[in-house]
Amino acid sequence: MWVYEKKLEYPVRIKTCNPKMAKYIISQYGGPDGELAASLRYLSQRFSMPTNEAKAILNDIGTEELAHLEIIGSMVYQLTKGATAEQMEMAGLGAYYTDHDHAVYPISASGTPFTAAYLQSKGDPIADLHEDLAAEQKARATYENLINLADDPDVIEPLKFLRAREIVHFQRFGEALRIVQDRLGEKKYFVKKPDFMK
């Protein structure tokens, strides 16, 4: 189904342990506007798209969001690698450490575990694509907030890459919306069946 290269879409090489920053970034792993929610949303919505082009766009972006999930997971892991229990607690990750040690687990920055309630899949292609446009803008805004909180170039550069991809995804969903609206706006022509085919 996929060709998988065993490397990240964008390299993550964080040298400085920073559990506090990991606490913020993990929201893009398992938070409401994060990569896990986005990938599952798009890969679910693709089934009810009325054109092959729209299905392909949702499939492509949903798959890429899984690659972004891998980038975020790598960032969180590298930011907490080697952190002591005391450092985790001081960063506000004491409860997280209690349940997960240094494992990467899908939660929001506020500590809320991932839930399928973050997903929207209405079955109405116009409603779903508008939801997707909004989701990409919310993710872009979250990445901008994370960049504002960061002071390490090793953290900032992957976040900037991910923010840029959200902008591209927004544009692609705009393209899908135009394709779907054009298709739904087409007149339907029906030919009366000849009597012998009734």
Side-chain angles (χ1 to χ4, degrees), residues 127-168:
D128 282 345
L129 289 167
H130 277 282
E131 170 70 27
D132 300 342
L133 287 162
E136 292 299 319
Q137 289 293 49
K138 289 187 277 185
R140 178 202 45 79
T142 301
Y143 280 120
E144 288 177 4
N145 294 340
L146 289 169
I147 290 166
N148 292 338
L149 288 168
D151 60 5
D152 182 347
D154 291 343
V155 173
I156 293 170
E157 291 309 312
L159 293 174
K160 286 166 65 176
F161 168 80
L162 292 165
R163 178 187 61 188
R165 294 307 300 159
E166 303 301 342
I167 294 166
V168 171

Side-chain angles (χ1 to χ4, degrees), residues 78-191:
Q78 290 178 26
L79 285 165
T80 59
K81 187 175 182 181
T84 65
E86 183 181 14
Q87 288 172 312
M88 295 288 279
E89 185 176 20
M90 287 175 54
L93 290 170
Y96 181 94
Y97 178 79
T98 299
D99 290 337
H100 309 292
D101 195 333
H102 289 82
V104 178
Y105 180 78
I107 63 169
S108 69
S110 62
T112 304
F114 178 80
T115 172
Y118 294 155
L119 311 181
Q120 288 297 326
S121 188
K122 193 71 174 169
D124 178 302
I126 303 296
D128 282 345
L129 289 167
H130 277 282
E131 170 70 27
D132 300 342
L133 287 162
E136 292 299 319
Q137 289 293 49
K138 289 187 277 185
R140 178 202 45 79
T142 301
Y143 280 120
E144 288 177 4
N145 294 340
L146 289 169
I147 290 166
N148 292 338
L149 288 168
D151 60 5
D152 182 347
D154 291 343
V155 173
I156 293 170
E157 291 309 312
L159 293 174
K160 286 166 65 176
F161 168 80
L162 292 165
R163 178 187 61 188
R165 294 307 300 159
E166 303 301 342
I167 294 166
V168 171
H169 293 171
F170 178 81
Q171 294 166 340
R172 296 283 321 274
F173 282 132
E175 176 188 336
L177 181 60
R178 285 188 296 281
I179 290 167
V180 168
Q181 287 174 324
D182 288 348
R183 171 67 179 273
L184 295 177
E186 290 175 356
K187 289 189 175 203
K188 303 209 181 344
Y189 295 96
F190 299 96
V191 178

Side-chain angles (χ1 to χ4, degrees), residues 45-99:
Q45 290 174 351
R46 70 173 295 283
F47 294 103
S48 55
M49 287 294 131
T51 70
N52 287 335
E53 296 91 350
K55 285 179 184 178
I57 289 170
L58 278 129
N59 193 67
D60 290 350
I61 295 173
T63 302
E64 185 178 356
E65 299 291 12
L66 291 171
H68 296 174
L69 184 71
E70 189 176 23
I71 291 170
I72 293 296
S74 296
M75 293 179 77
V76 170
Y77 178 75
Q78 290 178 26
L79 285 165
T80 59
K81 187 175 182 181
T84 65
E86 183 181 14
Q87 288 172 312
M88 295 288 279
E89 185 176 20
M90 287 175 54
L93 290 170
Y96 181 94
Y97 178 79
T98 299
D99 290 337

